[in-house]
Amino acid sequence: LVGPNGVILFATCSLEPLENRRQVEQAARRFNLRIRNQSQQFPEGLPGDPDRSIHDGSFFALLERENGKT
């Protein structure tokens, strides 16, 4: 369902490799997509730290269908 030059955002709050990079790699191979960008962020901060220094872990990847490829 992704047209030429279309992009899919894959995002999870999981830190597990099987739910992140491996899933993205498998989807890219299966659906002939290019992994344009991906990033893993690990949890940081402790109770009492400033709000801006506390965050949950997450992962995202952008998968792109290059023009003319199906």
Side-chain angles (χ1 to χ4, degrees):
L1 297 175
V2 180
N5 298 319
V7 178
I8 295 174
L9 171 64
F10 175 88
T12 70
C13 58
S14 171
L15 302 177
E16 296 296 322
L18 288 174
E19 293 182 278
N20 294 321
R21 284 179 172 42
R22 289 184 187 171
Q23 288 281 50
V24 167
E25 290 166 3
Q26 180 182 2
R29 280 191 308 273
R30 181 173 180 193
F31 299 108
N32 198 23
L33 301 170
R34 181 176 72 90
I35 301 170
R36 189 161 89 182
N37 191 10
Q38 58 184 334
S39 177
Q40 177 82 54
Q41 184 168 346
F42 293 96
E44 287 188 9
L46 297 170
D49 285 350
D51 291 344
R52 290 182 177 216
S53 66
I54 299 173
H55 59 78
D56 292 337
S58 62
F59 174 84
F60 83 87
L62 290 174
L63 297 153
E64 177 180 39
R65 169 133 8 249
E66 295 183 62
N67 192 18
K69 293 190 177 181
T70 57

